[in-house]
Amino acid sequence: MTLAERDKAVIWHPYTQMKGALPNIPIVRGEGAHLFDQDGKKYIDAVSSWWVNIHGHAHPYIAEKVAEQLRVLEHVIFAGFTHEPAVLLAERLLPLLPGKQEKVFYSDNGSTAVEVAIKMCLQFWVNTTPAPRTKIIAFKDAYHGDTFGAMSVSGRSIFTDPFKSLLFDVEFIDLPNAQNIEQLKFKINYLSNEVACFIFEPRVLGAGGMLMYKAEYLDQLLSTCQNHGILTIADEVMTGFGRTGTFFSCEVLNNEPDLFCLSKGLTGGTMPLGITTCNRKIFEAFLSDDKLKTLYHGHSFTANPVSIAASLASLDILLNPRTIENIQRISEKHSVFARTITGHPKLKDVRQTGTILAMEWETGGNTSYLSELRNNLYLFFLEKGIILRPLGNILYILPPYVISNQDLDYIYETIHQALKDL
Ligand SMILES: *Cc1c(COP(=O)(O)O)cnc(C)c1O
């Protein structure tokens, strides 16, 4: 039996209708921006393996640091105990975050980082007021993860449909623009005293279709929230660690969110790890002689030392000037390429923030064509040795920062070809 056949016999893959699913491609090795299958075929990983890989695959420096940590301490219960890597990462990360973030709470992934942030906000109000606020504001096309709380604050879609009656109510708002910003501020003002928090993906909504909106409008929403004491959660799970051109996407804002959610690029894409950070205001609302005011939340692998060793190593690489140059290089090359396809009759929109370039294909509003187009695009690029995984009719490039100019040019050329052929 081939590996793909053995896989089919025992494995249920994520986001996959298993009926009639194409055989999964066995990957045996990764190096830099490349993945190799068992037949030796090379693929350019143009989506950073689900947006996590920032320094390339099997990075030798991260591998060394992870191996070192494994030989010293692989895991320890994180209640009643601590360890050097956990403290060091918090010490290094907090000053890099915009504003005054004071505490790090560790978990396992992006969804858990979001769950923790939501629970911190909701319990903040329970701990501090007799009639706690319970409403949450989120963007209509947001994606914050797949666990129940994270699903609740994500836009309603086919992903959430089977569970919709069980998801808690959220006040969804449109992405802000010049036309609707006053209306959105009016809505927040109107709801003000009931709202516990506002959760948002800063400047780029990832899974919602790489939707981009201006920092100045986000700033206005944040000001409005802050005027009413509404807590603000920046979900930087996808946008963090250089992805949008700045270290964090929120760096360009004038307002400081109260909490941040981090994961994906946090470990350089090597190990699972999630972080929720908060400022002093949130943390102090939990300090009490009353045991009920404790945040009773944790996971078995909270602050896993091996994951954190990967994060510390990733941070070393990220802060290297060469990485910053790479981020700028990719951003500049994307802009030059974007100009060559903007206005193409097959494209409804071309948009870019930092290292993310998204192309929205025309579908003529035909939904059956949409899914066919998505599969055609995916298979077209796969056949050419490029991993691009469109979100419906949105094709996007989100590469590891080590990707070469030659690889980028090959991806751009192949997109030109797809615009001709598909
Ligand atoms: C991917 C993602 C999540 C969920 O992270 P997982 O590690 O997949 O649970 C949350 N928020 C955003 C913005 C994401 O892109």
Side-chain angles (χ1 to χ4, degrees):
M1 270 214 286
T2 66
L3 193 63
E5 286 163 350
R6 283 164 54 205
D7 171 286
K8 192 169 182 220
V10 292
I11 291 179
W12 188 342
H13 284 266
Y15 288 111
T16 304
Q17 173 47 259
M18 297 302 289
K19 182 173 178 187
L22 291 171
N24 289 286
I25 301 166
I27 294 295
V28 292
R29 190 169 73 79
E31 189 182 341
H34 300 147
L35 293 164
F36 298 88
D37 73 12
Q38 60 181 16
D39 301 323
K41 179 168 173 175
K42 183 175 90 177
Y43 299 87
I44 302 172
D45 187 357
V47 295
S48 297
S49 284
W50 256 343
W51 319 347
V52 301
N53 189 295
I54 55 179
H55 306 304
H57 289 280
H59 196 288
Y61 179 72
I62 301 179
E64 188 186 299
K65 293 292 178 182
V66 165
E68 246 171 52
Q69 184 60 45
L70 267 171
R71 281 188 219 103
V72 179
L73 177 70
E74 83 305 335
H75 190 63
V76 61
I77 175 173
F78 204 61
F81 296 87
T82 190
H83 50 83
E84 171 86 23
V87 177
L88 190 56
L89 182 61
E91 286 172 347
R92 290 184 65 187
L93 202 55
L94 289 169
L96 293 171
L97 284 159
K100 274 210 196 63
Q101 292 292 298
E102 293 211 356
K103 300 285 173 191
V104 162
F105 192 100
Y106 286 108
S107 64
D108 309 351
N109 57 66
S111 301
T112 54
V114 167
E115 295 287 343
V116 170
I118 295 171
K119 285 172 78 169
M120 281 179 177
C121 287
L122 292 175
Q123 196 179 341
F124 170 92
W125 291 104
V126 172
N127 284 3
T128 56
T129 52
R133 302 182 183 189
T134 54
K135 275 208 166 77
I136 299 178
I137 296 177
F139 286 127
K140 206 179 271 167
D141 294 303
Y143 177 78
H144 296 292
D146 284 346
T147 51
F148 263 84
M151 243 197 317
S152 292
V153 296
S154 298
R156 301 294 178 263
S157 70
I158 54 166
F159 295 175
T160 57
D161 202 53
F163 315 104
K164 62 178 183 255
S165 65
L166 297 169
L167 301 177
F168 57 75
D169 276 339
V170 168
E171 291 291 335
F172 287 110
I173 59 172
D174 289 325
L175 278 194
N177 55 42
Q179 285 75 45
N180 71 4
I181 183 70
E182 290 309 320
Q183 206 184 320
L184 297 181
K185 289 191 319 201
F186 182 83
K187 180 164 181 178
I188 297 172
N189 283 327
Y190 178 78
L191 294 167
S192 62
N193 300 333
E194 300 167 67
V195 182
C197 60
F198 167 43
I199 183 166
F200 58 93
E201 297 160 87
R203 295 162 62 214
V204 187
L205 273 58
M210 298 299 159
L211 304 172
M212 300 176 188
Y213 65 104
K214 286 210 173 101
E216 64 178 279
Y217 301 127
L218 177 56
D219 249 330
Q220 292 190 42
L221 295 180
L222 293 180
S223 297
T224 311
C225 285
Q226 282 160 6
N227 288 342
H228 297 290
I230 298 169
L231 304 172
T232 53
I233 306 171
D235 178 352
E236 292 241 20
V237 167
M238 189 279 282
T239 53
F241 304 102
R243 190 47 79 190
T244 64
T246 47
F247 205 100
F248 291 104
S249 189
C250 285
E251 243 167 68
V252 300
L253 300 174
N254 297 316
N255 290 287
E256 299 166 6
D258 296 294
L259 304 98
F260 283 84
C261 304
L262 307 172
S263 189
K264 292 207 166 108
L266 173 60
T267 61
T270 307
M271 308 276 301
L273 184 67
I275 280 182
T276 309
T277 67
C278 70
N279 58 17
R280 179 188 300 237
K281 174 179 165 181
I282 306 286
F283 182 69
E284 286 189 342
F286 289 77
L287 295 180
S288 173
D289 295 324
D290 180 356
K291 281 221 161 53
L292 273 175
K293 296 197 173 175
T294 308
L295 180 67
Y296 285 114
H297 188 105
H299 298 274
S300 317
F301 285 98
T302 291
N304 176 256
V306 185
S307 294
I308 294 176
S311 284
L312 287 166
S314 175
L315 214 49
D316 290 342
I317 304 167
L318 202 55
L319 294 171
N320 186 316
R322 289 241 321 260
T323 305
I324 296 154
E325 278 165 34
N326 275 334
I327 292 169
Q328 282 163 358
R329 173 181 59 88
I330 296 166
S331 306
E332 280 159 26
K333 279 189 75 77
H334 275 353
S335 321
V336 172
F337 169 65
R339 283 200 286 276
T340 71
I341 52 166
T342 300
H344 191 287
K346 283 194 187 157
L347 297 178
K348 218 188 291 185
D349 189 35
V350 178
R351 48 184 181 260
Q352 184 201 354
T353 305
T355 69
I356 309 167
L357 179 68
M359 294 140 272
E360 189 167 343
W361 289 57
E362 282 290 356
T363 58
N366 185 336
T367 47
S368 61
Y369 173 67
L370 193 151
S371 65
E372 197 186 315
L373 172 72
R374 188 254 166 226
N375 291 342
N376 288 346
L377 283 168
Y378 176 67
L379 294 172
F380 179 85
F381 289 102
L382 203 58
E383 199 262 321
K384 304 263 188 295
I386 302 170
I387 304 174
L388 283 176
R389 204 171 183 277
L391 295 155
N393 62 329
I394 319 281
L395 183 72
Y396 64 90
I397 315 174
L398 194 150
Y401 308 149
V402 293
I403 193 168
S404 67
N405 284 343
Q406 198 188 342
D407 280 348
L408 279 173
D409 289 336
Y410 176 64
I411 296 169
Y412 300 151
E413 269 166 41
T414 313
I415 292 172
H416 275 300
Q417 203 181 325
L419 282 167
K420 247 192 249 127
D421 297 358
L422 291 184

